[in-house]
């Protein structure tokens, strides 16, 4: 319990810079979208009416929950931008704390939960290029020190170099979040949705953790540590209150009423169920049905309340072509992002290989593949963070890109990046360690052994 308390305190402390970075500029209320929102909210003066149709910008989106956030700010702060900026900031802090709860239920690991949530908190304020530089230098040190200490035994140091090189790219975050999430008021559409999405995911994971039976653990192998008096035995499963599953369904409905990206929450809930199953929980699969029924109900309701024809804004934002594939590759297969620059470089001719360009592309591609090979050591949670982030982002790839599209996906991805850094640092210690000396040959027969006929 002490370790959980330490992890939570560190996460709360990481929220302080987010609070201090809140925006107070009068420009908050001068953004064109914000001005139209507030004019519409004040003209209608009927908060609950937003559940019955289009939201204030009238571009065919069903978003009553973020609109209620603007209604509340309008009643509380009027034309004071400080209050609006505070609301945006508190929404982001809420997402950080709820992410801690979700990872706590999913992983049951204080280290993974605390480190992943801290990483996401840092992404909110965008100070991570420095950490990317640090990991790059650590990768170079693994290469140089490993070359000196291990020589031809490249397996002792090349993995550390490539994994840390890939981690140096991932730790900076796939997109900067501060400007759109804290310094731009309409960005709260994504943060309001993420609040409810994380509640839904965490409540469902808690429901399974508390109530699902667990399959017996595999028999210990010869390399497994023996049980001691400090070993914590697994408690017998308790019958979880069904309230947690109901909370998950209600939160899902509120997320669907917040932002269109929420249509991926049922798929991520299925991903959570699979992750729990890989941890030997006997998941109650029937509870997946209400999540998908809620999605179907949302689609029917949206069709009835919001014009089904694309608005002018939507037609402007839809896209197709190679940009969609490149955006998906950020989350799904980052190595593809280095293929096109490499192909462009070799079009110049073979002399291009005398420059750094193609070699940089090659080493980043190799680093991507190497990282995936070594992540198999902690594959359950690495795959969870990786897959959940891809699923959460999936529909937004077909839209012209804005940073707030990545807010919920990056929250999920922080688990994957944390494990990636963890594996990289483990390999770094191997690269820095002295080469093991071979044991001298054993005489035969060994001294003191019985004579053999």
């Amino acid at each position: 319990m002490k370790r959980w308390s330490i992890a939570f305190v560190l996460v709360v402390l990481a929220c302080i810079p987010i609070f201090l970075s809140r925006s107070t500029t009068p420009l908050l209320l001068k953004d064109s979208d914000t001005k139209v929102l507030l004019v519409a909210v004040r003209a209608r003066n009927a908060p609950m009416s937003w559940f019955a149709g289009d939201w204030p910008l009238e571009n065919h989106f069903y978003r009553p929950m973020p609109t209620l956030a603007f209604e509340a700010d309008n009643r509380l702060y009027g034309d004071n931008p400080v209050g609006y900026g505070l609301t945006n900031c508190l929404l982001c802090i809420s997402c950080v704390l709820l992410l801690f709860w979700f990872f706590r239920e999913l992983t049951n690991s204080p280290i993974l939960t605390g480190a992943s949530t801290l990483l996401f908190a840092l992404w909110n304020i965008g100070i991570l290029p420095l950490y990317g530089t640090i990991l790059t230098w650590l990768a170079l040190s693994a290469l140089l020190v490993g070359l000196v200490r291990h020589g031809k035994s490249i397996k002792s140091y090349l993995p550390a170099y490539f994994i840390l090189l890939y981690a140096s790219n991932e730790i900076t975050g796939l997109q900067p979040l501060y400007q759109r999430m804290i310094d731009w008021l309409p960005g709260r559409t994504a943060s309001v949705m993420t609040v409810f999405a994380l509640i839904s995911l965490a409540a469902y994971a808690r429901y399974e953790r508390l109530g699902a039976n667990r399959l017996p653990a595999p028999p210990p192998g010869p390399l497994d540590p023996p049980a001691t008096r400090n070993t914590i035995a697994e408690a017998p499963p308790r019958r979880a209150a069904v309230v947690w599953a109901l909370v998950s369904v209600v939160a899902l409905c509120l997320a669907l009423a917040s932002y269109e990206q929420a249509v991926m929450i049922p798929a991520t809930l299925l991903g959570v169920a699979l992750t729990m199953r890989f941890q030997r929980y006997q998941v109650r699969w029937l509870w997946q049905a209400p999540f998908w029924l809620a999605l179907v109900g949302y689609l029917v309701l949206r069709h009835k309340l919001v014009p089904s024809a694309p608005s002018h804004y939507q037609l402007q934002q839809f896209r197709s072509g190679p940009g969609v594939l490149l955006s998906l590759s950020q989350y799904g297969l980052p190595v593809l992002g280095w293929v096109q620059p490499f192909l462009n470089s070799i079009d110049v001719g073979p002399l291009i290989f005398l420059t750094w360009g193609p070699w940089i592309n090659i080493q980043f591609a190799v680093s991507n593949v190497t990282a995936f090979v070594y992540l198999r050591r902690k594959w359950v949670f690495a795959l969870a963070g990786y897959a959940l982030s891809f699923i959460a982002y999936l529909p937004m790839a077909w839209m012209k890109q804005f940073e707030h599209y990545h807010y919920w996906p990056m929250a999920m991805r922080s688990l994957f990046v944390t494990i990636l850094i963890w594996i990289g640092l483990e390999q770094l210690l191997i690269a820095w360690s002295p080469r093991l000396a071979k044991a001298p040959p054993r005489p035969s027969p060994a001294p003191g052994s019985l004579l053999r006929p």
Side-chain angles (χ1 to χ4, degrees), residues 242-251 287:
V242 73
V243 66
W244 290 114
L246 296 176
V247 167
S248 181
V249 175
V250 172
W287 265 106

Side-chain angles (χ1 to χ4, degrees), residues 107-301:
T107 70
N108 200 29
S109 167
I111 296 176
L112 271 182
T113 298
S116 302
T117 312
L118 282 171
L119 180 60
F120 181 63
L122 292 174
W123 280 343
N124 274 266
I125 53 179
I127 61 172
L128 292 192
L130 171 63
Y131 296 99
T133 303
I134 292 173
L135 287 182
T136 301
W137 282 106
L138 287 176
L140 292 173
S141 74
L143 187 63
L144 297 176
V145 176
L147 184 62
V148 171
R149 292 197 165 181
H150 302 281
K152 295 181 180 179
S153 181
I154 60 175
K155 289 184 178 180
S156 299
Y157 57 89
L158 270 187
Y161 171 72
F162 285 123
I163 295 171
L164 289 172
L165 192 65
Y166 178 41
S168 70
N169 185 54
E170 286 277 352
I171 196 175
T172 58
L174 297 180
Q175 291 289 333
L177 298 178
Y178 173 82
Q179 183 178 3
R180 282 277 170 172
M181 299 310 304
I182 296 179
D183 204 31
W184 187 60
L185 294 183
R188 68 176 59 175
T189 52
S191 56
V192 169
M193 184 272 294
T194 303
V195 165
F196 294 120
L198 291 173
I199 292 174
S200 182
L201 292 168
Y204 173 67
R206 182 168 181 79
Y207 171 71
E208 296 292 4
R209 179 171 293 283
L210 290 180
N213 294 317
R214 297 195 74 173
L215 297 173
L223 299 180
D224 291 331
T228 67
R229 65 183 181 88
N230 293 325
T231 301
I232 301 175
E234 290 186 2
R238 292 185 285 147
R239 186 175 299 276
V242 73
V243 66
W244 290 114
L246 296 176
V247 167
S248 181
V249 175
V250 172
L252 166 61
C253 294
L254 294 176
L256 290 168
S258 301
Y259 198 48
E260 288 67 28
Q261 194 174 9
V263 296
M264 302 311 296
I265 296 177
T268 57
L269 286 164
L270 179 60
V272 170
L274 290 170
T275 303
M276 303 298 285
R277 183 64 181 82
F278 286 135
Q279 297 179 70
R280 298 183 291 108
Y281 287 94
Q282 293 183 309
V283 173
R284 279 71 58 87
W285 296 105
L286 284 177
W287 265 106
Q288 294 297 313
F291 302 140
W292 293 97
L293 288 175
L295 175 59
V296 172
Y298 160 76
L299 294 176
V300 172
L301 182 67

